[in-house]
């Protein structure tokens, strides 16, 4: 059965223009990325690929990505003046562009973010209509939309770990929508990404963090809430 389109997919989000792909999608990628980092960054290196590399300045994607890093929503009028607000917030940023990356989606952005000693790398794709895909986190395949509650667990590649996590979530009455797993290699660190229809209780997150084979737990509620 084909997946049904939502009204959001058809008409796009409420947003500041000019383009849902170049503005709304870009804002949402950045807002997802700062939730992976756990805070707004002090430093950001932003690399635009393919179509974005050729158009990001003219279409305002540069202002949109900075606005998202400041956690502005897609309809925030401050998007147009986000460079000024970044300076006020103490955000240092650098733009790069790579116009011919054939293995990547036409509208791809790589974000290297730092906050103090913590840093993350997030690769996002703007699909149109404000819809995004977070393709990679720190070199792991991720593939989540940030439109659902998302749980990211980095853990040892331990037998039975996926079943254990699914059982823990079931005790929180949580329905899993999608799940993906990637790893660096056999018996190396693995990354589990789970999209859920509902949120998690703090006690569930505390329990997941307490497991001795779990290295990091990142919980991202729906970024549009």
């Amino acid at each position: 059965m084909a997946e049904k389109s939502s009204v959001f997919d058809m008409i796009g989000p409420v947003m500041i223009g000019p383009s849902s792909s170049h503005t709304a999608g870009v804002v949402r990628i950045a807002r997802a990325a700062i939730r992976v980092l756990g805070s707004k960054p002090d430093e950001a290196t932003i690399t635009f690929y393919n179509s974005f590399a050729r158009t990001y300045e003219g279409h305002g994607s540069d202002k949109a990505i900075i606005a998202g890093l400041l956690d502005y929503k897609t309809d925030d009028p401050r998007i147009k003046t986000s460079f000024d607000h970044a300076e006020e917030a103490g955000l240092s940023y650098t733009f790069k562009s790579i116009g011919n990356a054939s293995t990547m989606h036409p509208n791809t952005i790589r974000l290297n973010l730092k906050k103090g000693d913590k840093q993350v790398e997030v690769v996002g794709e703007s699909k149109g209509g404000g819809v995004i895909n977070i393709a990679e986190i720190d070199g792991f395949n991720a593939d989540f939309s940030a439109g659902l509650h998302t749980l990211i667990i980095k853990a040892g590649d331990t037998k039975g770990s996926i079943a254990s996590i699914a059982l823990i979530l079931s005790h929180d009455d949580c329905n899993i929508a999608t799940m993906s797993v990637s790893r660096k290699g056999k018996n190396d660190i693995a990354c589990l990404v789970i999209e859920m229809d509902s949120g998690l209780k703090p006690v569930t997150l505390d329990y997941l963090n307490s497991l001795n084979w779990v290295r990091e737990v990142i919980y991202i509620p729906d970024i549009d809430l």
Side-chain angles (χ1 to χ4, degrees):
M1 181 181 294
E3 184 177 350
K4 294 181 179 178
S5 296
S6 69
V7 172
F8 183 89
D9 294 331
M10 290 184 284
I11 65 173
V14 177
M15 53 162 274
I16 300 296
S19 160
S20 59
S21 292
H22 290 79
T23 305
V26 171
V27 169
R28 297 183 77 241
I29 288 169
R31 296 189 76 219
I34 64 175
R35 283 154 179 77
V36 175
L37 179 65
S39 63
K40 300 174 190 177
D42 296 324
E43 300 178 40
T45 301
I46 302 146
T47 306
F48 292 95
Y49 291 88
N50 298 333
S51 174
F52 269 173
R54 295 184 288 272
T55 63
Y56 75 91
E57 292 177 295
H59 286 187
S61 301
D62 49 357
K63 295 181 176 67
I65 199 73
I66 298 302
L69 293 177
L70 296 173
D71 207 21
Y72 298 167
K73 292 187 177 182
T74 58
D75 61 349
D76 195 313
R78 293 175 294 177
I79 290 174
K80 294 181 177 180
T81 54
S82 62
F83 292 167
D84 296 334
H85 304 301
E87 185 175 354
E88 295 166 5
L91 171 59
S92 172
Y93 56 88
T94 302
F95 292 121
K96 298 181 178 180
S97 61
I98 299 175
N100 186 19
S102 60
T103 61
M104 290 182 160
H105 185 277
N107 295 335
T108 297
I109 302 172
R110 185 183 304 273
L111 293 166
N112 293 90
L113 307 180
K114 293 182 180 181
K115 177 70 173 183
D117 293 332
K118 186 172 182 181
Q119 56 186 2
V120 298
E121 180 179 81
V122 176
V123 177
E125 303 163 345
S126 183
K127 300 285 195 174
V131 176
I132 66 169
N133 178 54
I134 301 301
E136 294 180 16
I137 293 175
D138 293 332
F140 291 101
N141 293 332
D143 289 327
F144 66 91
S145 68
L148 297 170
H149 300 270
T150 305
L151 181 66
I152 302 163
I153 299 176
K154 295 179 184 177
D157 187 18
T158 304
K159 184 183 295 184
S161 59
I162 295 174
S164 297
I165 291 169
L167 181 61
I168 292 166
L169 297 183
S170 72
H171 289 311
D172 206 355
D173 293 326
C174 177
N175 186 50
I176 294 174
T178 70
M179 178 187 294
S180 65
V181 184
S182 65
R183 62 183 185 177
K184 300 293 187 181
K186 187 176 181 180
N187 299 322
D188 203 341
I189 300 298
C191 182
L192 176 65
V193 179
I194 302 172
E195 291 185 288
M196 304 162 292
D197 293 329
S198 57
L200 294 175
K201 298 183 181 72
V203 66
T204 303
L205 295 171
D206 289 341
Y207 182 70
L208 289 168
N209 270 304
S210 74
L211 299 173
N212 59 14
W213 43 271
V214 169
R215 305 292 181 87
E216 183 179 16
V217 176
I218 301 169
Y219 175 56
I220 306 175
D222 180 349
I223 61 170
D224 296 314
L225 292 178

